[in-house]
Structures are given as structure tokens and as C-alpha cells.
Amino acid sequence: MPEQRARVAAIDCGTNSIRLLISDIGDGRKTDLLREMRVVRLGQDVDRTGHLAEDAVQRTLQASREYAELIAMFGVTDIRFCATSAVRDADNAEAFGDAVEGVLGVRPEVLAGDDEARASFLGATRDLDDVRTLVVDIGGGSTEIVVGTGDRIEWSVSLDIGSVRLTERFLPSDPASVSEVAACMEHVDAVLAPVVAQLDPVGSFVGVAGTVTTVAAHSLALPSYDSDVIHRARLDLGDVSAACLSLVQMSVADRRMLPFMHPGRADVIGAGSLILDRLVAQLPLDTDTLVVSEHDILDGIAWDMA
């Protein structure tokens, strides 16, 4: 007898954005019906204060109300709300959870770093070749690095380096000064060094999430953001690094003028690009190509609901 398909809503509440995916899942298949993103910057100043700012919480709750309407409209049977780095680090996470539950009727699940890494890997690799792969997910508050084959994860780590966190900590100027960029790169390299020492060379390299997809759009010189072109694009690592350093050197105003740039990402893409550049430089890769995936932790959250 065929497995019954369920209509699910997965919500990924990150440091910079909150995203919604509504899908029908069953029989080993996932049919996506709706993807939405709101840049709410929930992690605003969390690195400095350890506290979710009230205005950031209100922006996130407003997006949650909009998502609740969409979820009802689509007749969703199951909702999963996952929060990551910013909520992990916040001393008022419990109160935030109460507020979200009041809007959506489900309590946020705060993913540990390893769980976040696993969901990112499963989402990214589900429709890629079944080979040993290293996946990087650069978020606003943290970066996950995962190695595995198929649905078998052999190693993962979550690092407290993300586009929002490092912008607030290292890149206050607009555009960033040479000394600020150098200090940020030095910090990322220091965080990566003990991680790189644990890794064997990997022949398949996949990048996910907004920093990677935006760098891909820049590298490809797209006239507008085009998910179909970006998904599964194969980029030369030298071209990736060149695109990263180009974005770092721009002012926020110049980044906003790029036709593919989401306005809520323009002020933090410099730090995210530096993280990607240092990953390309430091990771033990047996490939000269980055594969870009539009499928990520959000898809992994949905698959886990099957």
C-alpha cells in the first residue's frame, strides 16, 4: 500500500532570516509548494549582549504571524519550527519560545550545533550524487561543516563564525578597512585551524545558504537572482574566492545596487564572503569546484518530518 503523503510546514529561524517551506512528503518524495523568506535579524547584537533584542523579537513574531496565515491557507497537517544560533546563545530563549508558541501553536525546537549540521547535510545532498561529500552551511551566527555519504554522516562541527556575528565584531566600517578585514580573516583562520587538522581530503564540496548562493550569483554575474541557475551550479574555486573578495571590498550601498542582492543581506555579506573564502583556502579538498545547492537546513527539517 502506498505511503500516505503529509503536508508539512518547516520553519528555519536563523540569526539573519526566518524561512518557511510547505511541502507534501511521502513515498520517499518531497513536492515543494511554497518557499518564503523574511530577513528579521533576530540575532541583532546577541553576540555582544547574549540577549534577543525586543525589536528583533517583534520582527520575527510578525513574520511568524504571516507564516501562520499561509500555513492555514495551505491546510498544513504538521508544523516544525527550528531555531538555531541566535536562540541557542540567548538568555531569553524561553520567553521567545512562549511568544512563538502563542502565534503558531508549536514550540520552537532549538537545534544543537550537531543537529543543525545534520539537517543542513541531509537537505543539501538529497538530490546530489551519492559520494563522500563535505557540506558547508554559512549562517548569520554559526557555520556548520559536515562530511558524509548519502544519509550517513561521519563527522560534523558547528563553529561560532557567521555573517552577522563577524560583521558586528570585526567589520564596523563601510566599506570595511584593510585592518578590519585582516583581523576578521585572522580570526576565521584561527577558528578553522583545529577543524582542518581533523579532516581527510574530500572530493565533493557543496555550499548552501544565503552567503553561498549570493556569492554564486555574483560569480555568475546574474542579471537577477535566479534559483534555477544557482541550484547545482558548479563554480571554479578560484572564481569563488575572487567573488568573495570583490563583495568584501564594496560599500553596502554598492552591494545593494547588485541586481541579485537581497537588501537584508547587503550589510553582512562581506563577513559571510570572508568565511567562504577562508573555507576554500583552508579545507582539504580534492576538487577545484564548489557545487551550490539551494536545498539546505530547511529541506532537512522537512525531510525529518516524513
Side-chain angles (χ1 to χ4, degrees), residues 6-10 20-24 33-34 67-80 305:
R7 180 158 296 182
V8 304
L20 167 69
L21 172 62
I22 297 178
S23 302
D24 288 337
L33 305 176
L34 178 73
Y67 288 173
E69 292 180 3
L70 292 169
I71 287 167
M73 186 185 309
F74 276 81
V76 167
T77 58
D78 195 12
I79 305 171
R80 188 179 182 207
M305 298 170 72

Side-chain angles (χ1 to χ4, degrees), residues 5-216:
R5 305 199 87 201
R7 180 158 296 182
V8 304
I11 298 173
D12 166 36
C13 184
T15 299
N16 196 44
S17 64
I18 180 169
R19 299 180 302 145
L20 167 69
L21 172 62
I22 297 178
S23 302
D24 288 337
I25 299 185
D27 299 322
R29 294 178 294 118
K30 178 167 73 69
T31 304
D32 295 343
L33 305 176
L34 178 73
R35 285 181 188 263
E36 292 283 325
M37 180 181 78
R38 308 282 188 272
V39 174
V40 295
R41 195 65 57 85
L42 179 61
Q44 166 191 323
D45 292 329
V46 167
D47 184 62
R48 178 176 58 85
T49 67
H51 191 81
L52 297 173
E54 181 58 28
D55 54 342
V57 170
Q58 291 306 317
R59 291 192 298 267
T60 306
L61 292 177
Q62 177 55 38
S64 297
R65 293 184 193 99
E66 295 169 12
Y67 288 173
E69 292 180 3
L70 292 169
I71 287 167
M73 186 185 309
F74 276 81
V76 167
T77 58
D78 195 12
I79 305 171
R80 188 179 182 207
F81 185 114
C82 292
T84 55
S85 177
V87 181
R88 278 200 303 267
D89 293 349
D91 58 12
N92 55 337
E94 191 74 16
F96 174 71
D98 292 341
V100 169
E101 188 172 14
V103 172
L104 286 164
V106 295
R107 193 158 193 85
E109 179 182 346
V110 183
L111 297 183
D114 287 347
D115 294 329
E116 183 178 355
R118 175 181 175 276
S120 295
F121 185 87
L122 294 178
T125 61
R126 185 87 185 198
D127 62 349
L128 299 178
D129 294 337
D130 190 10
V131 297
R132 187 168 182 263
T133 298
L134 186 150
V135 172
V136 296
D137 179 347
I138 301 170
S142 66
T143 292
E144 283 65 50
I145 306 173
V146 199
V147 178
T149 306
D151 60 359
R152 302 179 303 280
I153 293 172
E154 65 182 68
W155 182 92
S156 68
V157 68
S158 180
L159 306 171
D160 282 339
I161 49 175
S163 60
V164 174
R165 189 188 298 272
L166 295 193
T167 297
E168 292 178 351
R169 193 182 293 186
F170 290 102
L171 306 178
S173 301
D174 180 23
S177 69
V178 172
S179 61
E180 288 170 353
V181 170
C184 187
M185 293 175 73
E186 184 178 348
H187 175 73
V188 174
D189 283 350
V191 172
L192 290 177
V195 172
V196 171
Q198 301 176 49
L199 290 172
D200 296 323
V202 180
S204 175
F205 179 36
V206 176
V208 304
T211 287
V212 172
T213 58
T214 302
V215 169

Side-chain angles (χ1 to χ4, degrees), residues 214 225 247 255-266 269:
T214 302
Y225 192 90
L247 287 167
R255 291 176 193 153
R256 287 201 172 108
M257 292 179 66
L258 296 170
F260 49 79
M261 181 67 65
H262 191 289
R265 205 176 300 284
I269 190 64

